[in-house]
Amino acid sequence: MKTRRLGEWLEITIPMKWEGFTIERIMKKEWNVPRKLLHKFRTEKMVTLNGVSKHWKQTTVQSGETLRVRVFEPQPLQVTPSYIDIDVVYEDDHLLVVNKPVGMFTHPSQPEQSDTLVNAVAFYFQMNGFEASPKYVHRLDRDTSGAVLFAKHDLAIAMLGEQLKKRDIQRTYIAWVEGKIKPSHGTINEPIGKDRHHAVRRRVSQGGQEAETSYSLLHYESAENASLIKLQLKSGRTHQIRVHMSYIGYPLLGDELYGGKKNLSGHQALHGAKLAFIHPFTEEKVECLAMPGGTSIFKPEHVRLLEQR
């Protein structure tokens, strides 16, 4: 899909596959624009065809014509910007992928909190002249490092949110677990619910939400009796990887909440190493690798193993 930014407008060259579609079909069926945003686009004449505002239901588009949507209008900042260095993995006009460090919350839980990844990205936006609040597509636990996907405008967050709901955004993690995992690959399909006896902990529970985790062995470290594994989720439940691995007898290193032994890092050994998805506007495949750094228990070579398997 051929697209470009023109000031506050996104311009799309109509592809052959949209030939004869109405503007309304493109907005509702191809892009799944939510109702509230549809209403805004329509009433404020934020969609044009060849530079002219047209009737959505009556106007059909032809290949090569230009559709413009005003998605980059300035928006009030709803979070306090904080100067914190961030590791940008991928960026374009619509999206930002940031490598979250261990020990940082993804977003504020209190209005006065200003040391989260969202606060840091807000500052990054401000310094780069982008007037909008960061919109995270998914979250990571405070003590899980790795790639977090942000959208830069309302249409992008709506489209990426739909992809996430349909499980079209592939998130790949690496983890160190205790022992030599057997079998070397498998799928855990067990529902997860809250633990009635603990405010934070989750547990496998037949009354919980469905959850599926696939894993495979990347490397066994005999000196530490620990397995480095690759994990992929077909759902995104709270603490899903930690609960499932503990359930089958291989808790994450350092994950004391779920039966893991205490280690020097003081937290679970889990890293969101890779994001893969289809770009909502260009329709190109985007793959992002988040390399661990600093004092992380993981090394870049651990992430590179994903590309070799």
Side-chain angles (χ1 to χ4, degrees):
M1 188 87 74
K2 185 179 178 183
T3 69
R4 63 172 178 161
R5 179 177 178 175
L6 293 172
E8 295 181 9
W9 295 79
L10 167 64
E11 182 181 274
I12 304 98
T13 301
I14 299 297
M16 184 63 71
K17 66 178 181 177
W18 286 2
E19 180 90 27
F21 288 5
T22 63
I23 296 174
E24 182 161 89
R25 172 171 174 169
I26 293 169
M27 293 292 118
K28 288 186 175 181
K29 303 295 184 183
E30 304 305 310
W31 279 357
N32 296 302
V33 181
R35 186 176 300 176
K36 185 176 179 181
L37 194 53
L38 276 174
H39 179 73
K40 181 180 180 181
F41 282 171
R42 200 192 302 264
T43 56
E44 297 183 18
K45 300 187 184 303
M46 298 173 73
V47 178
T48 67
L49 182 66
N50 301 323
V52 180
S53 180
K54 299 279 191 176
H55 194 287
W56 285 18
K57 288 185 178 180
Q58 297 175 359
T59 305
T60 57
V61 302
Q62 303 303 314
S63 173
E65 292 185 316
T66 54
L67 186 73
R68 291 179 183 171
V69 187
R70 189 170 174 238
V71 298
F72 300 111
E73 61 173 341
Q75 296 180 350
L77 197 58
Q78 298 174 332
V79 63
T80 303
S82 295
Y83 174 64
I84 305 169
D85 279 334
I86 59 173
D87 177 12
V88 174
V89 178
Y90 174 87
E91 182 176 15
D92 61 26
D93 289 329
H94 311 281
L95 318 172
L96 180 74
V97 177
V98 180
N99 189 3
K100 187 186 84 66
V102 168
M104 177 183 280
F105 287 106
T106 299
H107 62 91
S109 56
Q110 302 292 334
E112 66 276 6
Q113 191 174 0
S114 61
D115 58 352
T116 74
L117 189 62
V118 166
N119 300 107
V121 173
F123 185 90
Y124 179 82
F125 278 5
Q126 195 174 64
M127 290 299 293
N128 287 279
F130 196 83
E131 297 181 61
S133 289
K135 302 167 177 66
Y136 59 88
V137 179
H138 64 100
R139 297 173 291 179
L140 291 178
D141 292 345
R142 178 184 181 180
D143 289 330
T144 300
S145 55
V148 177
L149 175 60
F150 287 87
K152 290 185 172 182
H153 54 78
D154 290 336
L155 182 55
I157 191 66
M159 294 173 74
L160 288 166
E162 189 68 19
Q163 283 193 31
L164 190 70
K165 190 163 64 175
K166 292 179 178 178
R167 301 174 182 173
D168 290 336
I169 297 177
Q170 188 178 66
R171 291 174 286 170
T172 304
Y173 296 79
I174 54 174
W176 282 105
V177 298
E178 295 182 6
K180 187 171 186 178
I181 196 164
K182 292 180 181 179
S184 60
H185 58 87
T187 298
I188 308 157
N189 198 339
E190 296 289 347
I192 292 175
K194 292 184 177 180
D195 188 328
R196 290 176 297 172
H197 307 292
H198 196 287
V200 176
R201 194 165 52 212
R202 300 298 196 271
R203 61 188 291 268
V204 167
S205 166
Q206 294 313 305
Q209 296 176 298
E210 64 174 293
E212 184 176 320
T213 306
S214 297
Y215 73 87
S216 59
L217 177 66
L218 293 174
H219 172 70
Y220 174 64
E221 188 64 54
S222 57
E224 303 293 335
N225 188 28
S227 299
L228 178 70
I229 60 172
K230 164 188 172 181
L231 301 120
Q232 290 183 321
L233 311 182
K234 287 195 176 179
S235 48
R237 308 304 175 203
T238 300
H239 296 179
Q240 179 174 325
I241 289 173
R242 300 166 66 188
V243 172
H244 272 171
M245 297 315 298
S246 176
Y247 178 74
I248 65 169
Y250 298 96
L252 273 61
L253 292 186
D255 191 4
E256 294 181 84
L257 184 63
Y258 291 103
K261 296 174 184 175
K262 186 174 183 179
N263 64 6
L264 293 176
S265 67
H267 56 80
Q268 73 268 8
L270 183 61
H271 178 69
K274 184 177 180 180
L275 277 178
F277 56 92
I278 301 300
H279 195 289
F281 299 104
T282 68
E283 298 184 354
E284 296 173 340
K285 186 169 185 179
V286 178
E287 292 188 350
C288 304
L289 291 178
M291 293 298 180
T295 58
S296 173
I297 192 172
F298 298 101
K299 304 301 177 189
E301 53 265 31
H302 297 150
V303 174
R304 294 190 189 102
L305 284 173
L306 295 175
E307 303 299 284
Q308 299 169 17
R309 302 294 176 93

